[in-house]
């Protein structure tokens, strides 16, 4: 039974790591990436719809994003959503497509992005630690009748090793993203 608890905890930690990767992909690191618009939602026929579901997003070069909506009536809604979002880009609408030019990052903006990555990393670490706490609580409940105190301690140590491995992975991902952001 504790094996199932440890397996569940590891799966949940893997999901926390995946969530961190998605969050970091949406941060602008000086290059155009369709993932930058993942969190942008436009009001389309009364419902908030992700921009990436309203059209095709292409990157013709490293400094440009082009959004080609499938429905021309969504053009204004997409433009408005980008302006309201925290992406920090100004859309250029030519009537059929929206062009987003990505300006080079300033040193100040790079420092702000590094702070954001650290915030996301800390949130991921907290999530991983919460998963560890839940797993340890479940193991301690099993200690009352199903497993011995020594087995409980051994399983908790295994959960701690798994936690340490995932926290180290978060640090590795953050270091890579920080290096990418600070690259000029």
């Amino acid at each position: 039974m504790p094996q199932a608890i440890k397996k569940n905890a590891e799966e949940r930690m893997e999901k926390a790591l995946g969530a961190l990767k998605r969050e970091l992909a949406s941060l602008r690191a000086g290059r155009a990436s369709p993932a930058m618009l993942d969190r942008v939602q436009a009001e389309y026929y009364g419902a908030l719809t992700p921009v990436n579901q309203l059209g095709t997003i292409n990157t013709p070069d490293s400094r440009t994003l082009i959004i080609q909506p499938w429905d021309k009536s969504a053009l204004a809604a997409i433009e408005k959503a980008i302006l309201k979002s925290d992406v920090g880009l100004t859309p250029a609408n030519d009537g059929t497509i929206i062009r987003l030019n990505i300006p080079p990052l300033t040193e100040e903006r790079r420092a702000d992005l590094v702070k954001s990555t650290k915030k996301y990393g800390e949130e991921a670490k907290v999530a991983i630690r919460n998963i560890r706490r839940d797993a340890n609580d479940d193991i301690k409940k099993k200690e009352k009748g199903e497993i011995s105190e020594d087995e409980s301690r051994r399983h908790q140590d295994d959960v701690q090793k798994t936690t340490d491995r995932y926290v180290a992975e978060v640090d590795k991902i953050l270091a890579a993203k920080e290096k990418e952001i600070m690259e000029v």
Side-chain angles (χ1 to χ4, degrees):
M1 194 62 150
Q3 299 297 348
I5 293 170
K6 291 190 293 188
K7 186 175 189 278
N8 180 37
E10 189 163 357
E11 288 171 359
R12 290 175 57 202
M13 288 179 189
E14 190 64 43
K15 287 180 184 176
L17 209 57
L20 172 67
K21 288 176 183 176
R22 281 190 303 279
E23 288 291 334
L24 292 180
S26 69
L27 285 178
R28 187 174 82 161
R31 277 180 252 147
S33 165
M36 293 169 55
L37 301 175
D38 281 352
R39 293 182 294 169
V40 179
Q41 295 190 337
E43 178 139 352
Y44 185 63
Y45 288 111
L48 285 178
T49 308
V51 169
N52 58 9
Q53 292 180 11
L54 294 175
T56 306
I57 302 173
N58 295 314
T59 54
D61 60 60
S62 65
R63 298 266 180 222
T64 309
L65 277 175
I66 293 178
I67 305 167
Q68 187 170 12
W70 295 308
D71 180 6
K72 300 294 183 223
S73 65
L75 208 57
I78 294 171
E79 185 176 18
K80 192 168 153 184
I82 293 169
L83 285 170
K84 284 196 317 187
S85 73
D86 63 347
V87 176
L89 299 173
T90 306
N93 179 350
D94 74 356
T96 57
I97 61 171
I98 294 176
R99 190 177 313 273
L100 298 168
N101 290 317
I102 316 293
L105 293 173
T106 63
E107 193 61 35
E108 182 181 316
R109 182 69 179 132
R110 288 178 195 277
D112 288 343
L113 286 172
V114 167
K115 285 180 188 175
S116 293
T117 60
K118 288 181 180 180
K119 182 186 84 156
Y120 289 135
E122 197 53 45
E123 288 171 0
K125 288 178 184 180
V126 167
I128 289 169
R129 290 183 193 120
N130 286 340
I131 294 165
R132 174 193 62 195
R133 184 196 62 224
D134 293 344
N136 284 340
D137 289 347
D138 290 344
I139 290 170
K140 286 176 187 173
K141 287 177 188 171
K142 301 291 180 200
E143 187 180 318
K144 305 230 185 310
E146 294 179 36
I147 60 174
S148 70
E149 200 173 309
D150 289 341
E151 280 182 281
S152 171
R153 191 76 215 136
R154 193 170 31 255
H155 291 302
Q156 288 178 42
D157 288 344
D158 289 346
V159 170
Q160 183 60 46
K161 287 176 188 171
T162 303
T163 302
D164 293 343
R165 191 174 76 237
Y166 277 95
V167 167
E169 184 68 25
V170 167
D171 289 336
K172 191 170 94 175
I173 291 169
L174 289 177
K177 186 66 175 184
E178 186 173 334
K179 183 178 179 239
E180 179 186 335
I181 289 171
M182 295 309 282
E183 204 172 85
V184 179

mmCIF file of all heavy atoms in Angstrom, residues 1-3 5-7 132 135-136 138-140 142-143 146-164:
data_model
loop_
_atom_site.group_PDB
_atom_site.id
_atom_site.type_symbol
_atom_site.label_atom_id
_atom_site.label_comp_id
_atom_site.label_asym_id
_atom_site.label_seq_id
_atom_site.Cartn_x
_atom_site.Cartn_y
_atom_site.Cartn_z
ATOM 1 N N MET A 1 0.804 -1.210 0.000
ATOM 2 C CA MET A 1 0.000 0.000 0.000
ATOM 3 C C MET A 1 0.851 1.280 0.000
ATOM 4 O O MET A 1 0.544 2.192 -0.742
ATOM 5 C CB MET A 1 -0.944 -0.035 1.204
ATOM 6 C CG MET A 1 -2.028 0.986 1.119
ATOM 7 S SD MET A 1 -3.078 0.693 -0.306
ATOM 8 C CE MET A 1 -4.575 1.332 0.279
ATOM 9 N N PRO A 2 1.931 1.354 0.828
ATOM 10 C CA PRO A 2 2.764 2.558 0.770
ATOM 11 C C PRO A 2 3.402 2.763 -0.602
ATOM 12 O O PRO A 2 3.717 3.883 -0.971
ATOM 13 C CB PRO A 2 3.833 2.311 1.842
ATOM 14 C CG PRO A 2 3.185 1.393 2.809
ATOM 15 C CD PRO A 2 2.320 0.508 1.960
ATOM 16 N N GLN A 3 3.597 1.660 -1.361
ATOM 17 C CA GLN A 3 4.141 1.797 -2.715
ATOM 18 C C GLN A 3 3.200 2.635 -3.579
ATOM 19 O O GLN A 3 3.647 3.473 -4.354
ATOM 20 C CB GLN A 3 4.363 0.414 -3.353
ATOM 21 C CG GLN A 3 5.347 -0.465 -2.622
ATOM 22 C CD GLN A 3 6.758 0.122 -2.585
ATOM 23 O OE1 GLN A 3 7.064 1.079 -3.283
ATOM 24 N NE2 GLN A 3 7.597 -0.450 -1.762
ATOM 25 N N ILE A 5 1.117 4.891 -2.505
ATOM 26 C CA ILE A 5 1.187 6.275 -2.017
ATOM 27 C C ILE A 5 2.409 6.974 -2.624
ATOM 28 O O ILE A 5 2.311 8.101 -3.110
ATOM 29 C CB ILE A 5 1.250 6.295 -0.470
ATOM 30 C CG1 ILE A 5 -0.068 5.784 0.121
ATOM 31 C CG2 ILE A 5 1.554 7.700 0.042
ATOM 32 C CD1 ILE A 5 -0.024 5.530 1.614
ATOM 33 N N LYS A 6 3.552 6.281 -2.626
ATOM 34 C CA LYS A 6 4.771 6.877 -3.185
ATOM 35 C C LYS A 6 4.645 7.099 -4.688
ATOM 36 O O LYS A 6 5.072 8.132 -5.206
ATOM 37 C CB LYS A 6 5.973 5.985 -2.873
ATOM 38 C CG LYS A 6 6.340 5.957 -1.396
ATOM 39 C CD LYS A 6 7.662 5.277 -1.120
ATOM 40 C CE LYS A 6 7.624 3.813 -1.423
ATOM 41 N NZ LYS A 6 8.835 3.100 -0.991
ATOM 42 N N LYS A 7 4.027 6.155 -5.377
ATOM 43 C CA LYS A 7 3.843 6.279 -6.828
ATOM 44 C C LYS A 7 2.930 7.464 -7.143
ATOM 45 O O LYS A 7 3.215 8.260 -8.046
ATOM 46 C CB LYS A 7 3.251 4.989 -7.390
ATOM 47 C CG LYS A 7 3.144 4.957 -8.903
ATOM 48 C CD LYS A 7 2.669 3.583 -9.371
ATOM 49 C CE LYS A 7 2.753 3.442 -10.861
ATOM 50 N NZ LYS A 7 1.678 3.985 -11.595
ATOM 51 N N ARG A 132 4.676 16.070 -0.745
ATOM 52 C CA ARG A 132 5.455 15.264 0.207
ATOM 53 C C ARG A 132 4.712 15.154 1.541
ATOM 54 O O ARG A 132 4.589 14.070 2.107
ATOM 55 C CB ARG A 132 6.823 15.903 0.438
ATOM 56 C CG ARG A 132 7.627 15.200 1.539
ATOM 57 C CD ARG A 132 8.829 15.978 1.985
ATOM 58 N NE ARG A 132 8.433 17.252 2.550
ATOM 59 C CZ ARG A 132 9.264 18.264 2.772
ATOM 60 N NH1 ARG A 132 10.528 18.159 2.457
ATOM 61 N NH2 ARG A 132 8.835 19.379 3.298
ATOM 62 N N ALA A 135 1.789 12.767 1.248
ATOM 63 C CA ALA A 135 2.238 11.370 1.170
ATOM 64 C C ALA A 135 2.686 10.876 2.546
ATOM 65 O O ALA A 135 2.345 9.760 2.957
ATOM 66 C CB ALA A 135 3.369 11.232 0.155
ATOM 67 N N ASN A 136 3.440 11.705 3.252
ATOM 68 C CA ASN A 136 3.897 11.303 4.589
ATOM 69 C C ASN A 136 2.723 11.122 5.554
ATOM 70 O O ASN A 136 2.722 10.211 6.374
ATOM 71 C CB ASN A 136 4.897 12.311 5.145
ATOM 72 C CG ASN A 136 6.267 12.173 4.520
ATOM 73 O OD1 ASN A 136 6.597 11.138 3.956
ATOM 74 N ND2 ASN A 136 7.073 13.212 4.627
ATOM 75 N N ASP A 138 -0.284 10.180 4.719
ATOM 76 C CA ASP A 138 -0.925 8.909 4.340
ATOM 77 C C ASP A 138 -0.128 7.708 4.863
ATOM 78 O O ASP A 138 -0.706 6.727 5.335
ATOM 79 C CB ASP A 138 -1.076 8.814 2.815
ATOM 80 C CG ASP A 138 -2.119 9.784 2.272
ATOM 81 O OD1 ASP A 138 -2.926 10.307 3.069
ATOM 82 O OD2 ASP A 138 -2.110 10.026 1.049
ATOM 83 N N ILE A 139 1.187 7.808 4.794
ATOM 84 C CA ILE A 139 2.031 6.714 5.291
ATOM 85 C C ILE A 139 1.875 6.579 6.806
ATOM 86 O O ILE A 139 1.774 5.468 7.335
ATOM 87 C CB ILE A 139 3.511 6.937 4.884
ATOM 88 C CG1 ILE A 139 3.662 6.747 3.372
ATOM 89 C CG2 ILE A 139 4.434 5.994 5.640
ATOM 90 C CD1 ILE A 139 5.003 7.165 2.814
ATOM 91 N N LYS A 140 1.823 7.705 7.513
ATOM 92 C CA LYS A 140 1.664 7.666 8.969
ATOM 93 C C LYS A 140 0.326 7.051 9.372
ATOM 94 O O LYS A 140 0.230 6.372 10.396
ATOM 95 C CB LYS A 140 1.794 9.066 9.559
ATOM 96 C CG LYS A 140 3.218 9.575 9.567
ATOM 97 C CD LYS A 140 3.287 10.998 10.060
ATOM 98 C CE LYS A 140 4.695 11.560 9.904
ATOM 99 N NZ LYS A 140 4.759 12.986 10.224
ATOM 100 N N LYS A 142 -1.117 4.652 7.784
ATOM 101 C CA LYS A 142 -0.945 3.207 7.598
ATOM 102 C C LYS A 142 -0.156 2.590 8.756
ATOM 103 O O LYS A 142 -0.264 1.405 9.016
ATOM 104 C CB LYS A 142 -0.220 2.903 6.280
ATOM 105 C CG LYS A 142 -0.919 3.430 5.052
ATOM 106 C CD LYS A 142 -2.182 2.680 4.796
ATOM 107 C CE LYS A 142 -2.864 3.237 3.560
ATOM 108 N NZ LYS A 142 -4.261 2.900 3.504
ATOM 109 N N GLU A 143 0.635 3.413 9.425
ATOM 110 C CA GLU A 143 1.476 2.941 10.517
ATOM 111 C C GLU A 143 0.642 2.392 11.684
ATOM 112 O O GLU A 143 1.097 1.555 12.440
ATOM 113 C CB GLU A 143 2.349 4.113 11.002
ATOM 114 C CG GLU A 143 3.392 3.759 12.016
ATOM 115 C CD GLU A 143 4.190 4.992 12.422
ATOM 116 O OE1 GLU A 143 4.541 5.802 11.542
ATOM 117 O OE2 GLU A 143 4.442 5.133 13.625
ATOM 118 N N GLU A 146 -1.237 -1.299 9.535
ATOM 119 C CA GLU A 146 -0.812 -2.061 8.367
ATOM 120 C C GLU A 146 0.698 -2.247 8.273
ATOM 121 O O GLU A 146 1.170 -3.272 7.795
ATOM 122 C CB GLU A 146 -1.306 -1.373 7.089
ATOM 123 C CG GLU A 146 -2.818 -1.385 6.955
ATOM 124 C CD GLU A 146 -3.274 -0.680 5.685
ATOM 125 O OE1 GLU A 146 -2.583 -0.794 4.657
ATOM 126 O OE2 GLU A 146 -4.322 -0.025 5.738
ATOM 127 N N ILE A 147 1.467 -1.235 8.698
ATOM 128 C CA ILE A 147 2.923 -1.325 8.572
ATOM 129 C C ILE A 147 3.577 -0.958 9.908
ATOM 130 O O ILE A 147 2.973 -0.286 10.743
ATOM 131 C CB ILE A 147 3.471 -0.413 7.444
ATOM 132 C CG1 ILE A 147 3.141 1.051 7.707
ATOM 133 C CG2 ILE A 147 2.959 -0.848 6.103
ATOM 134 C CD1 ILE A 147 3.766 2.019 6.720
ATOM 135 N N SER A 148 4.833 -1.391 10.078
ATOM 136 C CA SER A 148 5.553 -1.090 11.323
ATOM 137 C C SER A 148 6.099 0.335 11.281
ATOM 138 O O SER A 148 6.142 0.980 10.234
ATOM 139 C CB SER A 148 6.690 -2.086 11.516
ATOM 140 O OG SER A 148 7.703 -1.843 10.550
ATOM 141 N N GLU A 149 6.563 0.774 12.437
ATOM 142 C CA GLU A 149 7.129 2.115 12.548
ATOM 143 C C GLU A 149 8.402 2.239 11.701
ATOM 144 O O GLU A 149 8.645 3.272 11.078
ATOM 145 C CB GLU A 149 7.439 2.397 14.021
ATOM 146 C CG GLU A 149 7.581 3.862 14.344
ATOM 147 C CD GLU A 149 7.716 4.095 15.841
ATOM 148 O OE1 GLU A 149 6.889 3.588 16.607
ATOM 149 O OE2 GLU A 149 8.678 4.790 16.211
ATOM 150 N N ASP A 150 9.209 1.177 11.683
ATOM 151 C CA ASP A 150 10.435 1.180 10.884
ATOM 152 C C ASP A 150 10.124 1.276 9.384
ATOM 153 O O ASP A 150 10.774 2.024 8.651
ATOM 154 C CB ASP A 150 11.265 -0.077 11.149
ATOM 155 C CG ASP A 150 11.914 -0.070 12.527
ATOM 156 O OD1 ASP A 150 12.028 1.028 13.113
ATOM 157 O OD2 ASP A 150 12.282 -1.157 13.004
ATOM 158 N N GLU A 151 9.119 0.503 8.953
ATOM 159 C CA GLU A 151 8.715 0.572 7.535
ATOM 160 C C GLU A 151 8.203 1.965 7.197
ATOM 161 O O GLU A 151 8.515 2.504 6.131
ATOM 162 C CB GLU A 151 7.617 -0.455 7.247
ATOM 163 C CG GLU A 151 8.096 -1.868 7.053
ATOM 164 C CD GLU A 151 6.929 -2.784 6.731
ATOM 165 O OE1 GLU A 151 6.216 -3.158 7.668
ATOM 166 O OE2 GLU A 151 6.756 -3.083 5.530
ATOM 167 N N SER A 152 7.437 2.531 8.091
ATOM 168 C CA SER A 152 6.898 3.870 7.883
ATOM 169 C C SER A 152 8.040 4.861 7.694
ATOM 170 O O SER A 152 8.014 5.684 6.776
ATOM 171 C CB SER A 152 6.029 4.279 9.075
ATOM 172 O OG SER A 152 5.660 5.624 8.991
ATOM 173 N N ARG A 153 9.042 4.774 8.565
ATOM 174 C CA ARG A 153 10.192 5.675 8.481
ATOM 175 C C ARG A 153 10.931 5.483 7.154
ATOM 176 O O ARG A 153 11.342 6.443 6.507
ATOM 177 C CB ARG A 153 11.128 5.388 9.663
ATOM 178 C CG ARG A 153 12.183 6.401 9.838
ATOM 179 C CD ARG A 153 11.614 7.675 10.464
ATOM 180 N NE ARG A 153 12.331 8.779 9.892
ATOM 181 C CZ ARG A 153 11.796 9.899 9.465
ATOM 182 N NH1 ARG A 153 10.517 10.107 9.578
ATOM 183 N NH2 ARG A 153 12.510 10.839 8.948
ATOM 184 N N ARG A 154 11.090 4.233 6.742
ATOM 185 C CA ARG A 154 11.786 3.935 5.483
ATOM 186 C C ARG A 154 11.012 4.525 4.291
ATOM 187 O O ARG A 154 11.603 5.125 3.397
ATOM 188 C CB ARG A 154 11.954 2.421 5.342
ATOM 189 C CG ARG A 154 12.912 2.009 4.277
ATOM 190 C CD ARG A 154 13.289 0.532 4.266
ATOM 191 N NE ARG A 154 12.270 -0.402 4.728
ATOM 192 C CZ ARG A 154 12.292 -1.022 5.914
ATOM 193 N NH1 ARG A 154 13.266 -0.795 6.775
ATOM 194 N NH2 ARG A 154 11.338 -1.875 6.248
ATOM 195 N N HIS A 155 9.697 4.371 4.296
ATOM 196 C CA HIS A 155 8.881 4.911 3.204
ATOM 197 C C HIS A 155 8.920 6.445 3.197
ATOM 198 O O HIS A 155 8.972 7.061 2.128
ATOM 199 C CB HIS A 155 7.440 4.413 3.303
ATOM 200 C CG HIS A 155 7.292 2.950 3.011
ATOM 201 N ND1 HIS A 155 7.687 2.385 1.823
ATOM 202 C CD2 HIS A 155 6.793 1.928 3.753
ATOM 203 C CE1 HIS A 155 7.444 1.086 1.838
ATOM 204 N NE2 HIS A 155 6.908 0.776 3.011
ATOM 205 N N GLN A 156 8.907 7.038 4.382
ATOM 206 C CA GLN A 156 8.987 8.500 4.452
ATOM 207 C C GLN A 156 10.341 8.991 3.930
ATOM 208 O O GLN A 156 10.408 10.034 3.269
ATOM 209 C CB GLN A 156 8.759 8.973 5.889
ATOM 210 C CG GLN A 156 7.314 8.821 6.342
ATOM 211 C CD GLN A 156 7.121 9.246 7.778
ATOM 212 O OE1 GLN A 156 7.666 10.254 8.186
ATOM 213 N NE2 GLN A 156 6.343 8.486 8.520
ATOM 214 N N ASP A 157 11.395 8.234 4.212
ATOM 215 C CA ASP A 157 12.714 8.595 3.672
ATOM 216 C C ASP A 157 12.723 8.506 2.147
ATOM 217 O O ASP A 157 13.314 9.354 1.471
ATOM 218 C CB ASP A 157 13.799 7.687 4.252
ATOM 219 C CG ASP A 157 14.086 7.980 5.724
ATOM 220 O OD1 ASP A 157 13.678 9.060 6.211
ATOM 221 O OD2 ASP A 157 14.707 7.109 6.375
ATOM 222 N N ASP A 158 12.042 7.491 1.595
ATOM 223 C CA ASP A 158 11.938 7.367 0.135
ATOM 224 C C ASP A 158 11.201 8.561 -0.463
ATOM 225 O O ASP A 158 11.598 9.098 -1.504
ATOM 226 C CB ASP A 158 11.212 6.071 -0.248
ATOM 227 C CG ASP A 158 12.046 4.834 0.012
ATOM 228 O OD1 ASP A 158 13.271 4.970 0.239
ATOM 229 O OD2 ASP A 158 11.464 3.724 0.002
ATOM 230 N N VAL A 159 10.122 8.973 0.201
ATOM 231 C CA VAL A 159 9.356 10.135 -0.272
ATOM 232 C C VAL A 159 10.238 11.383 -0.222
ATOM 233 O O VAL A 159 10.217 12.214 -1.141
ATOM 234 C CB VAL A 159 8.066 10.329 0.567
ATOM 235 C CG1 VAL A 159 7.405 11.663 0.251
ATOM 236 C CG2 VAL A 159 7.086 9.188 0.315
ATOM 237 N N GLN A 160 11.056 11.515 0.825
ATOM 238 C CA GLN A 160 11.954 12.666 0.945
ATOM 239 C C GLN A 160 12.994 12.666 -0.172
ATOM 240 O O GLN A 160 13.288 13.709 -0.757
ATOM 241 C CB GLN A 160 12.650 12.680 2.311
ATOM 242 C CG GLN A 160 13.550 13.886 2.521
ATOM 243 C CD GLN A 160 12.796 15.203 2.434
ATOM 244 O OE1 GLN A 160 11.724 15.347 3.011
ATOM 245 N NE2 GLN A 160 13.330 16.148 1.680
ATOM 246 N N LYS A 161 13.526 11.492 -0.506
ATOM 247 C CA LYS A 161 14.504 11.404 -1.601
ATOM 248 C C LYS A 161 13.867 11.814 -2.926
ATOM 249 O O LYS A 161 14.482 12.520 -3.735
ATOM 250 C CB LYS A 161 15.062 9.984 -1.698
ATOM 251 C CG LYS A 161 16.013 9.636 -0.585
ATOM 252 C CD LYS A 161 16.466 8.193 -0.679
ATOM 253 C CE LYS A 161 17.276 7.805 0.558
ATOM 254 N NZ LYS A 161 17.551 6.373 0.606
ATOM 255 N N THR A 162 12.633 11.377 -3.142
ATOM 256 C CA THR A 162 11.904 11.758 -4.358
ATOM 257 C C THR A 162 11.692 13.269 -4.382
ATOM 258 O O THR A 162 11.888 13.922 -5.413
ATOM 259 C CB THR A 162 10.551 11.020 -4.430
ATOM 260 O OG1 THR A 162 10.794 9.616 -4.386
ATOM 261 C CG2 THR A 162 9.799 11.365 -5.704
ATOM 262 N N THR A 163 11.301 13.827 -3.247
ATOM 263 C CA THR A 163 11.090 15.277 -3.135
ATOM 264 C C THR A 163 12.376 16.024 -3.458
ATOM 265 O O THR A 163 12.359 16.994 -4.232
ATOM 266 C CB THR A 163 10.603 15.643 -1.719
ATOM 267 O OG1 THR A 163 9.404 14.935 -1.443
ATOM 268 C CG2 THR A 163 10.365 17.132 -1.585
ATOM 269 N N ASP A 164 13.486 15.587 -2.881
ATOM 270 C CA ASP A 164 14.770 16.246 -3.134
ATOM 271 C C ASP A 164 15.132 16.200 -4.611
ATOM 272 O O ASP A 164 15.643 17.172 -5.166
ATOM 273 C CB ASP A 164 15.876 15.586 -2.303
ATOM 274 C CG ASP A 164 15.703 15.812 -0.800
ATOM 275 O OD1 ASP A 164 14.939 16.724 -0.409
ATOM 276 O OD2 ASP A 164 16.318 15.054 -0.026
#
